Amino acid sequence: MLNQSLFEDQDMSSQLGFFAFSSNPYNLPFGCSQPSLKTLTAVAGSLAADTQTTLSESATQKQKEDVTSHFGEPPQLRSLQRSNANLWAWGEVNDCMNSKKNGGDNYLGVATIKMKKIKARRKVREPRFCFKTLSEVDVLDDGYKWRKYGQKVVKNTQHPRSYYRCTQDNCRVKKRVERLAEDPRMVITTYEGRHIHSPSQDEDDSQASSQMNNFFW
DNA sequence: CGCATTTGACCCGCGC
DNA sequence: GCGCGGGTCAAATGCG
């Protein structure tokens, strides 16, 4: 059932695993009891870098060469971890949090504060896991409660990408949900960050679900 | 009425 | 420097 997985280990500051459940009849990478936990554990033992990006026709030759060099043949999955987006650095966060404008930055208007918050937020890289699942529904029940905060049409795809945030206070875990351009039956779910709490207790969590959640977070 | 979702605007990083 | 594309915000809207 687990027939594809792609990893790239370029930046230990962030982690991303890419799992493909292309024939998973149970849909749920977290909640289902059927996927082989051993297999998942083995796969997830690897570390990968940064953002998962769909390699579209518009991808640069360099990107395609990178993929080819890393995975031998051009991957059917056509997804990769783009390392050049890994410029997020704690140093930049510090720069944002401190005043980097010498003189004249004593005044912090609302807009300025907001800007700094946004920039600081964007600079922080959280561990990421990416799942590919065969599912008719976009949002997979992983035991946590999510609030949608955005939707975006991604270039070269006919399906919009949805952005969700964990509804738990102080939990900054986010996830992106999109459908594979090449196969709309496939749902790609990317989790970013780690939950600081247990899954919602009012969900019907199976034992496997708990195991999976403990394993990932 | 409160909470979740939608959606257009905005910001930032990156490539050219 | 500029334009593009991805990610986020927040007001408007929907829904129970």
Side-chain angles (χ1 to χ4, degrees), chain A residues 89-135:
Chain A
W90 286 103
E92 294 188 17
V93 175
N94 293 332
D95 287 344
C96 293
M97 299 308 291
N98 298 326
S99 175
K100 61 181 178 182
K101 296 177 182 178
N102 295 329
D105 200 32
N106 291 329
Y107 167 73
L108 292 177
V110 175
T112 304
I113 295 173
K114 181 180 177 181
M115 290 286 293
K116 288 179 178 294
K117 284 183 177 179
I118 292 174
K119 198 165 187 177
R121 180 187 63 245
R122 290 191 173 193
K123 289 299 179 185
V124 177
R125 277 294 178 184
E126 301 286 350
R128 292 186 176 189
F129 283 98
C130 186
F131 296 90
K132 178 184 175 184
T133 314
L134 179 62
S135 174

Side-chain angles (χ1 to χ4, degrees), chain A residues 46-66:
Chain A
S46 301
L47 297 176
D50 208 350
T51 42
Q52 173 271 326
T53 305
T54 298
L55 183 61
S56 65
E57 294 299 331
S58 64
T60 65
Q61 185 61 33
K62 177 65 167 59
Q63 287 176 309
K64 293 179 180 178
E65 289 174 355
D66 287 345

Side-chain angles (χ1 to χ4, degrees), chain A residues 29-49:
Chain A
F30 288 100
C32 71
S33 59
Q34 297 305 315
S36 167
L37 199 58
K38 288 183 178 180
T39 304
L40 291 174
T41 304
V43 173
S46 301
L47 297 176

